[in-house]
Amino acid sequence: MKIASWNVNSLNVRLPHLLDWLAAARPDVVALQETKLEDARFPAEALAQAGYACAFHGQKTYNGVAILAREGAIEDVQAGIPGFADEQARALAATVGGVRIIDLYVVNGQAVGSEKYDYKLRWLAAAHDWIAAERARHPDLVVLGDFNIAPDDRDVHDPAAWGDDSILTSSAERAALRRLLELGLHDSFRLFESGGGHFSWWDYRAAGFRRNLGLRIDLVLASDALRPRLTAAGIDREPRAWERPSDHAPVWLELG
DNA sequence: ATGGTTGATTTTCAA
């Protein structure tokens, strides 16, 4: 069972890339972020033709998350973080093939100390409590998406430039991510690769991808119970090199 | 190299 995450940065623009990638990579479950589509405009028919059922939680212009599943049903769908009033469509959970899937588009936060940064930390605290409850109900749990946090210096092209004062790498953000992992979740990529230089996002500006000036901020977390089934995890850089790409690459894990 | 690019809707905002 291959479970993937991809921030597509507009599903309207990226649908051809998504369809090409689904056909090539054949994931069983895909979590999408930044669909930027109202639910009425979600391309459910085109994805059904490609063999994928969909659950989606979107809005106009910004944000938007979706879960796709090849074969098998999408069950017990939850849109948004329960009990957390949020105008932004950033979270979606569903059960597929007995695995609970939680798709997160974590707040970017813009700059340390800004209002958006406060919102990011409050959002992460609410997500933590929700995930704790979900984990108690569903031992087989995968939490994945665009976390907008680089876990440590190996996940940053220039740790001197990306430190405690920077958004995506500040100590409060990294501590919030650690609190999620302390619920009994594992950063699947790090179970297979301990080296640096592996990124999932490259800025469109300044030829970031060509120069590999990236960050690893897209993560697939697997619960303790799933760890014995984990056979592989990785980042698929190829779609980032396609014409008119998303600024993020798909990330994935494989369960035996 | 303190810039640069992309997307959705504007006359900027968010990333």
Side-chain angles (χ1 to χ4, degrees):
Chain A
M1 188 181 193
K2 184 173 184 178
I3 301 174
S5 173
W6 194 6
N7 180 325
V8 292
N9 187 16
S10 170
L11 185 51
N12 188 43
V13 171
R14 226 67 66 196
L15 182 60
H17 280 197
L18 177 61
L19 293 171
D20 286 349
W21 182 74
L22 291 173
R26 302 285 290 165
D28 298 285
V29 180
V30 186
L32 302 178
Q33 304 86 37
E34 286 206 84
T35 56
K36 301 185 177 180
L37 284 176
E38 291 174 292
D39 289 347
R41 294 184 59 212
F42 194 88
E45 283 182 26
L47 289 163
Q49 289 220 330
Y52 286 85
C54 310
F56 39 89
H57 173 46
Q59 66 186 108
K60 200 173 169 183
T61 311
Y62 302 121
N63 309 310
V65 282
I67 295 173
L68 318 183
R70 189 161 60 87
E71 303 170 8
I74 300 179
E75 299 173 306
D76 198 6
V77 174
Q78 165 69 44
I81 301 172
F84 183 73
D86 195 353
E87 291 181 355
Q88 305 193 11
R90 295 181 170 276
L92 184 66
T95 302
V96 181
V99 178
R100 189 64 170 165
I101 305 291
I102 299 182
D103 177 12
L104 303 180
Y105 175 45
V106 175
V107 177
N108 174 287
Q110 194 172 57
V112 173
S114 66
E115 268 184 41
K116 288 174 184 172
Y117 185 74
D118 291 340
Y119 168 50
K120 181 175 197 172
L121 296 180
R122 284 189 289 108
W123 195 95
L124 285 163
H128 172 278
D129 293 350
W130 177 41
I131 291 164
E134 288 288 285
R135 192 184 177 284
R137 286 175 55 208
H138 306 280
D140 291 347
L141 173 67
V142 170
V143 182
L144 74 176
D146 177 357
F147 282 74
N148 270 320
I149 302 170
D152 64 54
D153 284 351
R154 295 171 297 172
D155 304 309
V156 174
H157 68 87
D158 183 355
W162 293 84
D164 191 31
D165 295 334
S166 299
I167 198 67
L168 314 185
T169 55
S170 72
S171 55
E173 293 169 80
R174 284 174 163 170
L177 177 59
R178 274 199 304 278
R179 283 195 290 275
L180 290 183
L181 296 171
E182 284 164 4
L183 295 171
L185 298 168
H186 302 274
D187 179 356
S188 59
F189 184 81
R190 285 297 175 212
L191 298 176
F192 297 93
E193 172 61 60
S194 59
H198 302 281
F199 308 128
S200 67
W201 170 82
W202 299 261
D203 202 309
Y204 286 124
R205 297 166 288 187
F209 184 65
R210 181 177 59 73
R211 302 159 69 197
N212 199 29
L213 306 181
L215 303 178
R216 192 174 68 90
I217 56 176
D218 300 87
L219 309 175
V220 189
L221 312 182
S223 61
D224 287 327
L226 287 176
R227 189 171 177 173
R229 290 174 57 190
L230 261 175
T231 56
I235 302 168
D236 186 355
R237 290 170 53 101
E238 195 182 329
R240 185 61 178 79
W242 293 347
E243 193 176 343
R244 204 180 181 191
S246 169
D247 45 353
H248 294 254
V251 297
W252 54 272
L253 66 70
E254 188 109 36
L255 298 175

mmCIF file of all heavy atoms in Angstrom, chain A residues 182-201:
data_model
loop_
_atom_site.group_PDB
_atom_site.id
_atom_site.type_symbol
_atom_site.label_atom_id
_atom_site.label_comp_id
_atom_site.label_asym_id
_atom_site.label_seq_id
_atom_site.Cartn_x
_atom_site.Cartn_y
_atom_site.Cartn_z
ATOM 1 N N GLU A 182 5.995 12.868 19.303
ATOM 2 C CA GLU A 182 5.955 12.224 20.623
ATOM 3 C C GLU A 182 4.628 11.517 20.889
ATOM 4 O O GLU A 182 4.511 10.781 21.877
ATOM 5 C CB GLU A 182 6.253 13.263 21.720
ATOM 6 C CG GLU A 182 7.735 13.616 21.785
ATOM 7 C CD GLU A 182 8.017 14.891 22.573
ATOM 8 O OE1 GLU A 182 7.063 15.469 23.143
ATOM 9 O OE2 GLU A 182 9.198 15.304 22.604
ATOM 10 N N LEU A 183 3.643 11.716 20.022
ATOM 11 C CA LEU A 183 2.404 10.951 20.132
ATOM 12 C C LEU A 183 2.589 9.505 19.665
ATOM 13 O O LEU A 183 1.642 8.718 19.717
ATOM 14 C CB LEU A 183 1.292 11.619 19.308
ATOM 15 C CG LEU A 183 0.848 13.004 19.796
ATOM 16 C CD1 LEU A 183 -0.094 13.653 18.791
ATOM 17 C CD2 LEU A 183 0.169 12.880 21.150
ATOM 18 N N GLY A 184 3.785 9.190 19.182
ATOM 19 C CA GLY A 184 4.034 7.839 18.685
ATOM 20 C C GLY A 184 3.996 7.781 17.173
ATOM 21 O O GLY A 184 3.500 6.818 16.577
ATOM 22 N N LEU A 185 4.526 8.833 16.547
ATOM 23 C CA LEU A 185 4.582 8.905 15.089
ATOM 24 C C LEU A 185 6.038 8.983 14.643
ATOM 25 O O LEU A 185 6.885 9.520 15.367
ATOM 26 C CB LEU A 185 3.821 10.144 14.594
ATOM 27 C CG LEU A 185 2.324 10.174 14.919
ATOM 28 C CD1 LEU A 185 1.744 11.564 14.657
ATOM 29 C CD2 LEU A 185 1.569 9.123 14.098
ATOM 30 N N HIS A 186 6.322 8.461 13.463
ATOM 31 C CA HIS A 186 7.679 8.436 12.932
ATOM 32 C C HIS A 186 7.729 9.149 11.592
ATOM 33 O O HIS A 186 6.863 8.931 10.745
ATOM 34 C CB HIS A 186 8.147 6.985 12.744
ATOM 35 C CG HIS A 186 8.100 6.192 14.008
ATOM 36 N ND1 HIS A 186 9.141 6.188 14.913
ATOM 37 C CD2 HIS A 186 7.130 5.412 14.533
ATOM 38 C CE1 HIS A 186 8.810 5.410 15.936
ATOM 39 N NE2 HIS A 186 7.590 4.924 15.735
ATOM 40 N N ASP A 187 8.760 9.980 11.419
ATOM 41 C CA ASP A 187 9.023 10.629 10.130
ATOM 42 C C ASP A 187 9.556 9.536 9.199
ATOM 43 O O ASP A 187 10.723 9.158 9.263
ATOM 44 C CB ASP A 187 10.052 11.746 10.364
ATOM 45 C CG ASP A 187 10.443 12.481 9.102
ATOM 46 O OD1 ASP A 187 9.996 12.107 8.000
ATOM 47 O OD2 ASP A 187 11.221 13.453 9.228
ATOM 48 N N SER A 188 8.679 9.013 8.338
ATOM 49 C CA SER A 188 9.013 7.787 7.588
ATOM 50 C C SER A 188 10.284 7.947 6.760
ATOM 51 O O SER A 188 11.091 7.025 6.655
ATOM 52 C CB SER A 188 7.849 7.371 6.697
ATOM 53 O OG SER A 188 7.517 8.394 5.776
ATOM 54 N N PHE A 189 10.507 9.141 6.192
ATOM 55 C CA PHE A 189 11.687 9.355 5.357
ATOM 56 C C PHE A 189 12.968 9.065 6.137
ATOM 57 O O PHE A 189 13.916 8.462 5.613
ATOM 58 C CB PHE A 189 11.696 10.795 4.842
ATOM 59 C CG PHE A 189 12.816 11.096 3.888
ATOM 60 C CD1 PHE A 189 12.712 10.738 2.554
ATOM 61 C CD2 PHE A 189 13.970 11.716 4.334
ATOM 62 C CE1 PHE A 189 13.748 11.010 1.675
ATOM 63 C CE2 PHE A 189 15.007 11.989 3.455
ATOM 64 C CZ PHE A 189 14.905 11.635 2.124
ATOM 65 N N ARG A 190 12.993 9.454 7.411
ATOM 66 C CA ARG A 190 14.205 9.302 8.230
ATOM 67 C C ARG A 190 14.437 7.868 8.710
ATOM 68 O O ARG A 190 15.503 7.576 9.259
ATOM 69 C CB ARG A 190 14.154 10.263 9.408
ATOM 70 C CG ARG A 190 14.435 11.707 8.999
ATOM 71 C CD ARG A 190 15.840 11.850 8.446
ATOM 72 N NE ARG A 190 16.134 13.195 7.922
ATOM 73 C CZ ARG A 190 16.961 13.410 6.904
ATOM 74 N NH1 ARG A 190 17.549 12.391 6.280
ATOM 75 N NH2 ARG A 190 17.198 14.637 6.485
ATOM 76 N N LEU A 191 13.465 6.988 8.509
ATOM 77 C CA LEU A 191 13.691 5.572 8.830
ATOM 78 C C LEU A 191 14.513 4.895 7.735
ATOM 79 O O LEU A 191 15.021 3.796 7.930
ATOM 80 C CB LEU A 191 12.353 4.844 9.004
ATOM 81 C CG LEU A 191 11.477 5.363 10.151
ATOM 82 C CD1 LEU A 191 10.130 4.643 10.169
ATOM 83 C CD2 LEU A 191 12.179 5.187 11.498
ATOM 84 N N PHE A 192 14.658 5.583 6.594
ATOM 85 C CA PHE A 192 15.366 4.980 5.464
ATOM 86 C C PHE A 192 16.545 5.815 4.974
ATOM 87 O O PHE A 192 17.370 5.323 4.208
ATOM 88 C CB PHE A 192 14.384 4.745 4.300
ATOM 89 C CG PHE A 192 13.289 3.777 4.645
ATOM 90 C CD1 PHE A 192 12.071 4.239 5.130
ATOM 91 C CD2 PHE A 192 13.480 2.410 4.509
ATOM 92 C CE1 PHE A 192 11.062 3.351 5.471
ATOM 93 C CE2 PHE A 192 12.478 1.515 4.840
ATOM 94 C CZ PHE A 192 11.263 1.988 5.330
ATOM 95 N N GLU A 193 16.596 7.086 5.373
ATOM 96 C CA GLU A 193 17.646 7.983 4.879
ATOM 97 C C GLU A 193 18.044 8.940 6.001
ATOM 98 O O GLU A 193 17.219 9.704 6.489
ATOM 99 C CB GLU A 193 17.119 8.771 3.670
ATOM 100 C CG GLU A 193 18.044 9.853 3.184
ATOM 101 C CD GLU A 193 19.404 9.323 2.732
ATOM 102 O OE1 GLU A 193 19.443 8.499 1.806
ATOM 103 O OE2 GLU A 193 20.421 9.730 3.342
ATOM 104 N N SER A 194 19.331 8.916 6.383
ATOM 105 C CA SER A 194 19.760 9.780 7.484
ATOM 106 C C SER A 194 20.569 10.987 7.005
ATOM 107 O O SER A 194 20.908 11.854 7.807
ATOM 108 C CB SER A 194 20.589 8.978 8.489
ATOM 109 O OG SER A 194 21.718 8.423 7.842
ATOM 110 N N GLY A 195 20.854 11.064 5.723
ATOM 111 C CA GLY A 195 21.691 12.141 5.221
ATOM 112 C C GLY A 195 20.932 13.405 4.890
ATOM 113 O O GLY A 195 19.707 13.436 4.869
ATOM 114 N N GLY A 196 21.684 14.473 4.629
ATOM 115 C CA GLY A 196 21.089 15.748 4.262
ATOM 116 C C GLY A 196 20.960 15.901 2.750
ATOM 117 O O GLY A 196 21.319 15.003 1.982
ATOM 118 N N GLY A 197 20.451 17.054 2.349
ATOM 119 C CA GLY A 197 20.361 17.365 0.926
ATOM 120 C C GLY A 197 19.139 16.805 0.217
ATOM 121 O O GLY A 197 19.060 16.864 -1.002
ATOM 122 N N HIS A 198 18.200 16.264 0.971
ATOM 123 C CA HIS A 198 16.968 15.712 0.382
ATOM 124 C C HIS A 198 15.812 16.634 0.725
ATOM 125 O O HIS A 198 15.448 16.756 1.888
ATOM 126 C CB HIS A 198 16.703 14.306 0.917
ATOM 127 C CG HIS A 198 17.813 13.351 0.674
ATOM 128 N ND1 HIS A 198 18.008 12.737 -0.547
ATOM 129 C CD2 HIS A 198 18.816 12.932 1.471
ATOM 130 C CE1 HIS A 198 19.070 11.966 -0.478
ATOM 131 N NE2 HIS A 198 19.590 12.065 0.736
ATOM 132 N N PHE A 199 15.261 17.262 -0.289
ATOM 133 C CA PHE A 199 14.249 18.293 -0.071
ATOM 134 C C PHE A 199 12.946 17.948 -0.781
ATOM 135 O O PHE A 199 12.920 17.110 -1.691
ATOM 136 C CB PHE A 199 14.776 19.647 -0.545
ATOM 137 C CG PHE A 199 16.140 19.987 0.036
ATOM 138 C CD1 PHE A 199 17.195 20.355 -0.780
ATOM 139 C CD2 PHE A 199 16.349 19.905 1.408
ATOM 140 C CE1 PHE A 199 18.444 20.638 -0.242
ATOM 141 C CE2 PHE A 199 17.603 20.196 1.954
ATOM 142 C CZ PHE A 199 18.651 20.556 1.125
ATOM 143 N N SER A 200 11.863 18.623 -0.341
ATOM 144 C CA SER A 200 10.548 18.401 -0.965
ATOM 145 C C SER A 200 9.961 19.685 -1.531
ATOM 146 O O SER A 200 8.937 19.655 -2.206
ATOM 147 C CB SER A 200 9.574 17.819 0.059
ATOM 148 O OG SER A 200 9.281 18.769 1.077
ATOM 149 N N TRP A 201 10.580 20.816 -1.211
ATOM 150 C CA TRP A 201 10.095 22.121 -1.698
ATOM 151 C C TRP A 201 11.285 22.986 -2.095
ATOM 152 O O TRP A 201 12.300 23.015 -1.383
ATOM 153 C CB TRP A 201 9.283 22.833 -0.605
ATOM 154 C CG TRP A 201 8.964 24.264 -0.949
ATOM 155 C CD1 TRP A 201 7.954 24.724 -1.748
ATOM 156 C CD2 TRP A 201 9.692 25.424 -0.510
ATOM 157 N NE1 TRP A 201 8.017 26.101 -1.839
ATOM 158 C CE2 TRP A 201 9.073 26.543 -1.085
ATOM 159 C CE3 TRP A 201 10.815 25.613 0.303
ATOM 160 C CZ2 TRP A 201 9.518 27.846 -0.874
ATOM 161 C CZ3 TRP A 201 11.273 26.904 0.512
ATOM 162 C CH2 TRP A 201 10.610 28.006 -0.071
#
